[in-house]
Structures are given as C-alpha cells and as structure tokens.
Amino acid sequence: MTPMPRLYFDNAATSSPKPQAVIDAMVDYATRLGGSPGRGSYFEAREAARLVRRCRERINDLVNGEDPDHIIFTLNTSDALNLAIRGVVLGVLESDPRATAHIVTTELDHNSVLRPLNALIERHPGRLAQTRVPADPATGRVDPDDIRRAVGARSDTVLVALNHASNVTGVIQPAAEVGAVCRAQGVLFLLDAAQSLGHLPVDVRALGADLLAFPGHKGLLGPSGTGGLSIRPGVELRLATVREGGTGSQSDLDVQPETMPDKYEPGSVNAMGLIGLSEGVQFLNEFRFAGLVGIAALRAHEVALMHELLSTLGFIPTPSPPGGGLGRGTPALARESGSIPGLTLHGPLDPSRRVGVFTFSIDGLDPHEAAAILESEFGVLARAGIHCAPLAHRALGSTGALRLSLGPFLTVDDVRHAAGALRELAASTRVYS
Ligand SMILES: Cc1ncc(COP(=O)(O)O)c(C=O)c1O
C-alpha cells in the first residue's frame, strides 16, 4: 500500500517547504555569525549587516525599487500595512489639529487593512473617513473608474489601498490603472502584495505604487516573522513613524533619525530571518520552468498547475499545454460550477486572470469538516474559513469556504491527487446528504 502523502496546499497563508538554501543560510548565521547587524564593528556584526543589506538589495531589485534603503523590514504584511496606513493617517492628523483625512479601500481587503483603519477611525472620531469600493460581482475586479470617483468625492482623500491579488478569489486587480488614477489625483497608492509578490511580476514604478506591503514568508519563501514595506523615495516625508527606538546610528539624538531605513526600523532586526529570506529571493531569481527563469518561470509554473486543477475538475475544457502556456481562457466569472455536481468555485476560470488560490464550496458540507476529511483521508492540507477577508466572502454570498493554494514545490501529480480528492469528497457528500 502506498503511504498517504502530506501535500501542503496552504501556501497563501505561508509557504512550505522552504528552499534548502534558506535553511542553510539561517543555520550558518546562527552557528558561524550570531552578531547583530549594524550594532558592532567586529567581523560577525559586519558580516551579518552585509547579508541583511544583500536581502534589501535583492528585494529592491525584484520590485524595481529606486533605493534599497527604502525597503523597510517588518514582521509580516500586516505589520507593513499598519506602518503604511497609520503612518499616512497620523502624518496628516498630527500635522494640524483641524486636519481630516479620507481613505479609499475595497471590499476585497484583508483584515490587516480593514482593522488598522477601523481602529484609527474609532480613535479619531470625525477626523477620518473611508469609502469602500465594491468589486464587480461578475469579474471580481475593482473598476478604476469607481476608485477615481471615490477619490474625487472628497478633497481630503490621502490614500488608496488596493489588494493586488485576492486571497479569496485569486483575482488579479488592475493595479497599474489604479496607480495611474492615484498619480493623476495626487493621492498615495498602497498596494497589498501579500498574494502577488513572488507569484507575479511586481514593479513598483510601473504600477505607481508609493507603498508596497509584502510578506517575506509567503511567495518570497522566507521564514515566518519576515515582511516589508517598500516606500517610494520622498513618501517618507509624509509617513509618520509608528514605533521609535534604538537604531545603532546617530545615538546621541533623542528623537528617531530621519535617515532610511533606520527611521522605520527601531530595535534589532530579525537577522536570522532576513538572511534566510535573502536566499528565498535568490531561489526565485534562479527558478526555472518551461525555458523561463525567475518570476516569469514561477508564474508559468503556477498557471500550468492552476490549469491542471481547473481542467481536471471539469471547469475548463483543455488540459494544460506542455510548458505551462495559458491555454484557452473562458470569461472570468466570480462563481463557477464545473462538471462535478455540488462543487462551486469562487473565482475566475481563466488562469491568466488569477493567482494560484483555488477557493471552493461543496454543497451540504461544512468547510471545516471538509478540511478535516481532506487531511485525514487524502493527505491534502487545505484551509477552511473566511480567510481573514469577511467582506470578500460576504460579496460572494459565502459564509466560509475551502481554499487550496499553490506553491513552487507542488507538481502536476500533486494537483491531480488533490483534484481526485475533491471529486471523491463531493461525490460522497451527495450520497450521504
Ligand atoms: C491579501 C492579504 N493581505 C494581508 C495578509 C496578511 O499577511 P501576513 O500574514 O504576512 O501578515 C494576507 C495573509 O494571508 C493576505 O492574504
């Protein structure tokens, strides 16, 4: 009897496994170096600082940023979003006691955008307002014209926050168009790249992203406790600090230094995590698939796996062409039924319009129960619930669903195994319900 696999399909939460080079780099730091970057002139501290700097440079290159010192390391995406949102809002409200601010968000946003903003609104009654723009139910996309109208509705609009790719439907948003709207209207543009960086090309200049919040522990394949905020040079003049402390620089100053990245990085950085993250980024840079290298190869791999999943489940007709081309796409609908009765997909059919997040429901089956069966009977590790995105689920008419999310170490065979498991689960639910 072949042993049951353990196939990890929760890469949208955090990626697993990590490349061996990530682990090796962290062990090397812990055993050979151990110094705190920027906190000593001895070799260990200098070498740790060099490796952390290399991580900054690699991420800056990956996002086509203007200056590695404007990549700020954070604990995760949520921490980066907090810095961006609180930093912009406090920068305005603290500049003048009469100032007010208006922020435009969307109903696709994760709680890590919704909650910091709601907390600020509660703490500053009457001074801060938000407009939430809905997504088109037919495509799952936000219309840049709706953003333009929401921005223009108030003269105190300071920020637009957009989820680059939904962690529920997988839909890729028209970020460059929204960036152009923001630039034309003179407001800051914050892009939540939690589900896009490491999966899609992300170019902050082409997208017009003034602020880009990203995880280190998801698509970049670094360890947990890593993430960052890319800040367009100049924007730091408008972004208040939300934490202050020692930086190992200008220590005679009794206020936070203005120099980057120290301004937003008080305290010792997560050296071991960042040195590991640097190797995760390098793994992506060298990833090869279908004659492609780097992010283009990762994207082609993910599209090929998604194509396989959708076609094996009967949502789209053709199997994935060799080499992971896009195949024949069908119109992007936000909710689709395939050939398996009772199984509904919450997301578009065209793999080119989505990232590798496959969220679905099985009629008559509680998603948490379904996740438990997928694990115990098929070795498929899926994620049940509302994925910290209550408004996105509400817009889909869902009170909870199951999510499979893809990663670079999954294969076509793994995806076929998962598709077979879903087919069996849906069939057995019909028999017993
Ligand atoms: C769209 C989106 N934004 C933000 C987050 C928060 O990410 P982190 O866990 O890195 O804080 C997630 C996590 O799943 C997400 O999917």
Side-chain angles (χ1 to χ4, degrees):
M1 210 172 82
T2 44
M4 177 138 41
R6 285 199 68 80
L7 298 175
Y8 183 83
F9 276 94
D10 199 13
N11 290 282
T14 199
S15 52
S16 181
K18 306 299 180 188
Q20 189 58 41
V22 170
I23 294 154
D24 292 346
M26 292 195 292
V27 170
D28 180 59
Y29 166 77
T31 52
R32 188 174 65 90
L33 297 174
S36 185
R39 298 296 196 274
S41 52
Y42 44 88
F43 169 79
E44 285 77 356
R46 281 188 284 118
E47 182 62 3
R50 186 184 70 78
L51 295 173
V52 167
R53 169 78 192 174
R54 193 165 69 174
C55 182
R56 245 185 255 286
E57 289 170 353
R58 283 177 173 167
I59 293 176
N60 188 59
D61 287 348
L62 186 69
V63 303
N64 193 26
E66 288 176 45
D67 180 354
D69 284 337
H70 283 67
I71 301 293
I72 302 301
F73 291 126
T74 61
L75 300 172
N76 44 44
T77 327
S78 306
D79 195 32
L81 289 166
N82 267 273
L83 168 56
I85 294 168
R86 287 165 57 83
V88 169
V89 168
L90 296 180
V92 173
L93 299 191
E94 289 173 357
S95 67
D96 174 348
R98 286 158 309 171
T100 59
H102 171 234
I103 295 195
V104 176
T105 59
T106 73
E107 67 179 12
L108 302 164
D109 284 321
H110 191 273
N111 274 339
S112 54
V113 168
L114 302 177
R115 288 179 175 172
L117 193 49
N118 289 338
L120 283 165
I121 290 172
E122 244 178 58
R123 276 178 216 159
H124 300 276
R127 297 189 66 199
L128 178 63
Q130 74 170 313
T131 299
R132 268 191 213 126
V133 172
D136 180 339
T139 63
R141 277 161 66 100
V142 168
D143 183 343
D145 279 335
D146 289 344
I147 303 269
R148 188 194 319 277
R149 276 188 285 275
V151 168
R154 285 181 57 146
S155 59
D156 60 351
T157 308
V158 284
L159 180 72
V160 171
L162 181 73
N163 173 323
H164 196 186
S166 169
N167 61 319
V168 178
T169 61
V171 172
I172 300 167
Q173 296 299 323
E177 287 93 317
V178 173
V181 165
C182 293
R183 204 171 315 132
Q185 312 240 48
V187 300
L188 293 174
F189 179 34
L190 163 63
L191 195 59
D192 173 356
Q195 302 299 340
S196 57
L197 193 58
H199 300 276
L200 297 175
V202 175
D203 177 330
V204 289
R205 294 190 228 188
L207 297 172
D210 300 298
L211 296 157
L212 181 91
F214 62 87
H217 64 105
K218 300 185 199 262
L220 299 188
L221 307 177
S224 49
T226 59
L229 183 69
S230 157
I231 301 176
R232 183 170 61 74
V235 172
E236 73 276 13
L237 303 174
R238 300 169 62 182
L239 196 70
T241 55
V242 297
R243 276 199 286 255
E244 296 79 23
T247 53
S249 60
Q250 303 177 64
S251 298
D252 53 333
L253 273 187
D254 59 4
V255 292
Q256 196 66 9
E258 289 293 321
T259 40
M260 298 287 277
D262 298 358
K263 181 172 181 183
Y264 303 106
E265 286 185 1
S268 307
V269 295
N270 175 5
M272 183 155 46
L274 296 175
I275 288 169
L277 171 59
S278 185
E279 294 313 307
V281 177
Q282 193 55 12
F283 177 89
L284 301 183
N285 289 337
E286 292 169 0
F287 190 83
R288 286 176 186 274
F289 181 75
L292 300 165
V293 186
I295 291 292
L298 280 144
R299 176 70 183 141
H301 177 252
E302 199 164 278
V303 165
L305 292 187
M306 184 52 73
H307 205 120
E308 187 66 40
L309 190 56
L310 292 169
S311 60
T312 308
L313 288 170
F315 285 103
I316 54 177
T318 46
S320 179
L326 299 183
R328 273 192 294 131
T330 44
L333 295 171
R335 198 181 161 93
E336 285 293 338
S337 297
S339 64
I340 302 178
L343 194 143
T344 302
L345 164 69
H346 303 290
L349 299 182
D350 182 347
S352 70
R353 287 178 162 248
R354 50 154 47 252
V355 291
V357 163
F358 179 90
T359 300
F360 63 99
S361 310
I362 294 177
D363 289 350
L365 190 58
D366 174 78
H368 291 92
E369 199 184 324
I373 300 171
L374 283 175
E375 178 182 3
S376 61
E377 294 187 17
F378 301 96
V380 170
L381 312 186
R383 178 75 177 277
I386 59 170
H387 314 107
C388 298
L391 304 182
H393 271 274
R394 203 178 301 156
L396 288 168
S398 142
T399 51
L402 264 175
R403 182 180 77 189
L404 299 180
S405 48
L406 307 175
F409 295 104
L410 287 168
T411 65
V412 163
D413 283 346
D414 297 337
V415 163
R416 285 192 188 134
H417 176 88
L422 300 197
R423 195 178 280 280
E424 275 193 47
L425 191 58
S428 61
T429 306
R430 273 201 324 284
V431 169
Y432 292 112
S433 61

